[in-house]
Amino acid sequence: MWCAVHRLTTRVSAFSLNSAATSSRRYNAQSVALRLSSSTSEASPLTVIPRVKAADATEASEGPVLVKGWVRTLRKQKEVAFVQINDGSNLGGIQCVVPLSEIDEDTKKELDKVSTGCAVVIEGPLVKSQGGKQAVEVTANKLKVVGECPGDTYPLAKKRHTLEYLRTIAHLRPRTNTIAAVARVRSHLAGAIHAFFQEVGFVYVQTPLITASDCEGAGELFRVTTLEMDKISDLPLKKTEDGKGTTDEIDHSQDFFGKPAYLTVSGQLGGETYASALGDIYTFGPTFRAENSQTTRHLAEFHMVEPEMAFADLDSAMGNAEQMLKYVVKHVLDKCQEDLEFFSKFYDKELIKKLEALVEQPFARVSYRDAIAYLQEEIAKDPSKWQFPDVEFGTDLSTEHERWLAETKFGSCVFVYNYPKAIKAFYMRDNDEDGGETVNAMDLLVPGVGELVGGSQREERLDVLLDKMGELKLDPEDYWWYLDLRRFGSVPHAGYGLGFERLVTYVCGIENIREAIAYPRYPGHAEF
């Protein structure tokens, strides 16, 4: 009973225009909840008015409700005022009609303070709307401005702003239709990802963000240190062999962790340790790449979904990735119809059809060798149409190659598998059938985006893994714990990584990944 009462406390509030009562409002609401749970009295001395969010306002109410949000527009006429309120729960918000002849003087004074962007609380019944744009509206009999907003300096005018401009005011851009819709879709995608893996028996593991290991071996790492880097002369240096002088190398033994430490580029290695004990696990968290890229597809800070499956091969990873994507996209199609229609109208007219096709069509599969052959055949028809016309075995496919395969050649999502060993990470399992020239790796290419998922079967053989690390000049001492997984009960295992922000851009039909995250981090930009 107490849990139900506690939920009630968070959803209802007593409305008062008396400023002296403001500080006691929370206490009064809690007192009402407690009396509801313990008193046998049929009458309550306080009136509890439920708060209704715009997304839930679908039917007329029997009594007054509270609407809390930010003003989008205000239209005053001779006898009535129309206040459009947005509380973030949906795209359109809710219309509040204020009959000027029926409100008290305090409410009239508050109405005079209303401007675009200000925060308000409105009380009144939900009634059937007289217009055709919404099912119900609020007939407001009380209104209070909670937070004023000066119209002459508010940077979000009624006109439509460019997405580039909105990035300069990222703290305010969630109040726009586009970024708010992205945030709602992103939230549903994240919830659906967790729901999928929980339903199929995966364990959620939180791997560390600070690490001493470079998972990808590419060296694109952000350093984590407590050393005074702005005082070069004060940095501790390693001593020479005779101990009488110093070298030019920083002595990391005096740093916080006693060794070089970095922000992680992936949770995969840590995920493998838990998969080696729990079977099937997934991680879902922030990762970091110090990659000097200014493209619409890259961020310095982003989120990765990384499942790892023990006793699994590459086919298992591809099958799981396909099931997961179909699950989460279908969830968004079911739950975010209004937002998807908005994106379809303003950003990608084929968006909903594209998402429905992903859910309904099986994903194609093609080997890397065959994909190269298809590309060479197509490029030979007119090389001038291609930015990167030189394609051969060993080429790391560019976005234009990936999109042609997905959009033109197969007309669907497509897995490209068995990539050349030379362009993939050290931990991927060598293919025995071609003498180790390729590895059991795959990328999932989707129409409109290109690569969305990358994965592989992991190298479970200790001797082979050590040889590969030696070729890449990776110190086994830095990976001693990772190598232990191959010494003690090693099993075939596989996994993949999904760039979450890329999934958000794909599902929303937006072009730039910087709109898919609240505060984008990229070269030269770490504001807010």
Side-chain angles (χ1 to χ4, degrees), residues 297-298 366-376 379 386 388-406 410 414-420 423-424 441-445 449-451 502:
R297 292 162 41 86
H298 293 87
V366 62
S367 71
Y368 171 87
R369 290 183 189 274
D370 288 342
I372 290 295
Y374 292 140
L375 282 164
Q376 289 174 333
I379 292 172
W386 296 78
F388 302 103
D390 298 325
V391 174
E392 60 185 12
F393 184 86
T395 298
D396 198 357
L397 299 181
S398 68
T399 300
E400 67 171 343
H401 303 143
E402 294 169 344
R403 290 189 61 176
W404 179 83
L405 288 167
F410 293 96
V414 54
F415 287 107
V416 178
Y417 61 90
N418 288 357
Y419 276 83
I423 61 174
K424 288 298 180 180
M442 62 84 172
D443 286 336
L444 175 64
L445 314 180
V449 174
E451 180 193 346
R502 285 194 184 180

Side-chain angles (χ1 to χ4, degrees), residues 178-192 328 331-333 335-341 343 351 355 500 503-509:
T178 294
I179 303 303
V182 168
R184 286 188 292 268
V185 170
R186 180 185 172 108
S187 177
H188 275 281
L189 282 171
V328 301
H331 174 85
V332 170
L333 284 167
K335 300 296 183 180
C336 302
Q337 183 179 1
E338 182 187 34
D339 289 325
L340 292 180
E341 288 175 352
F343 290 126
L351 176 64
L355 297 180
F500 183 59
L503 176 63
V504 173
T505 61
Y506 174 74
V507 172
C508 294

Side-chain angles (χ1 to χ4, degrees), residues 168-232:
T168 68
I169 51 169
H171 58 304
L172 294 174
R173 69 176 185 164
R175 300 188 187 189
T176 65
N177 285 338
T178 294
I179 303 303
V182 168
R184 286 188 292 268
V185 170
R186 180 185 172 108
S187 177
H188 275 281
L189 282 171
I193 286 169
H194 282 293
F196 170 79
F197 284 113
Q198 294 291 327
E199 287 181 16
V200 296
F202 280 57
V203 176
Y204 178 36
V205 176
Q206 296 82 37
T207 52
L209 302 185
I210 299 175
T211 179
S213 303
D214 180 2
C215 176
E216 299 295 330
E220 297 165 342
L221 301 162
F222 287 104
R223 177 68 59 83
V224 176
T225 182
T226 56
L227 297 176
E228 294 289 338
M229 301 303 292
D230 56 341
K231 299 178 181 179
I232 304 298

Side-chain angles (χ1 to χ4, degrees), residues 16-304:
S16 172
L17 295 182
N18 185 348
S19 60
T22 303
S23 62
S24 64
R25 215 171 274 155
R26 183 178 301 171
Y27 171 79
N28 288 341
Q30 292 174 342
S31 299
V32 171
L34 286 171
R35 279 196 287 273
L36 286 172
S37 66
S38 60
S39 173
T40 58
S41 172
E42 294 183 1
S44 172
L46 294 178
T47 300
V48 178
I49 303 175
R51 178 186 177 184
V52 173
K53 291 199 171 186
D56 300 324
T58 57
E59 298 179 353
S61 64
E62 295 182 359
V65 300
L66 297 181
V67 173
K68 304 179 181 183
W70 293 265
V71 173
R72 281 285 180 86
T73 60
L74 168 66
R75 291 185 295 118
K76 279 188 177 181
Q77 298 180 356
K78 185 175 181 181
E79 298 181 352
V80 67
F82 298 93
V83 185
Q84 191 71 21
I85 306 297
N86 189 278
D87 59 9
S89 65
N90 69 355
L91 195 63
I94 188 169
Q95 178 172 270
C96 301
V97 182
V98 187
L100 301 180
S101 62
E102 300 177 19
I103 57 176
D104 57 29
E105 291 301 316
D106 288 336
T107 299
K108 289 179 180 178
K109 291 179 181 178
E110 291 293 301
L111 188 60
D112 290 337
K113 302 178 188 177
V114 171
S115 62
T116 299
C118 73
V120 297
V121 178
I122 289 179
E123 177 188 327
L126 286 171
V127 299
K128 185 177 180 180
S129 178
Q130 300 300 308
K133 293 185 178 181
Q134 59 277 319
V136 295
E137 60 191 19
V138 178
T139 300
N141 49 54
K142 291 182 180 178
L143 179 149
K144 182 173 179 61
V145 175
V146 178
E148 295 185 23
C149 181
D152 57 341
T153 58
Y154 186 50
L156 288 174
K158 190 175 180 180
K159 67 177 183 179
R160 188 179 180 187
H161 298 287
T162 66
L163 296 176
E164 290 76 15
Y165 168 73
L166 292 177
R167 283 182 222 131
T168 68
I169 51 169
H171 58 304
L172 294 174
R173 69 176 185 164
R175 300 188 187 189
T176 65
N177 285 338
T178 294
I179 303 303
V182 168
R184 286 188 292 268
V185 170
R186 180 185 172 108
S187 177
H188 275 281
L189 282 171
I193 286 169
H194 282 293
F196 170 79
F197 284 113
Q198 294 291 327
E199 287 181 16
V200 296
F202 280 57
V203 176
Y204 178 36
V205 176
Q206 296 82 37
T207 52
L209 302 185
I210 299 175
T211 179
S213 303
D214 180 2
C215 176
E216 299 295 330
E220 297 165 342
L221 301 162
F222 287 104
R223 177 68 59 83
V224 176
T225 182
T226 56
L227 297 176
E228 294 289 338
M229 301 303 292
D230 56 341
K231 299 178 181 179
I232 304 298
S233 60
D234 293 341
L235 287 175
L237 301 176
K238 288 183 178 179
K239 293 187 177 299
T240 56
E241 291 184 5
D242 59 13
K244 295 180 181 180
T246 58
T247 68
D248 293 332
E249 295 182 51
I250 296 175
D251 183 3
H252 291 287
S253 66
Q254 297 186 44
D255 206 344
F256 186 89
F257 294 106
K259 63 170 64 176
Y262 312 92
L263 293 178
T264 186
V265 299
S266 170
Q268 179 201 315
L269 301 189
E272 284 187 54
T273 67
Y274 270 74
S276 297
L278 301 178
D280 297 329
I281 67 94
Y282 72 103
T283 73
F284 187 178
T287 53
F288 309 85
R289 301 279 171 91
E291 183 179 5
N292 189 17
S293 176
Q294 293 281 8
T295 76
T296 60
R297 292 162 41 86
H298 293 87
L299 292 168
E301 177 185 346
F302 55 100
H303 293 73
M304 289 283 283

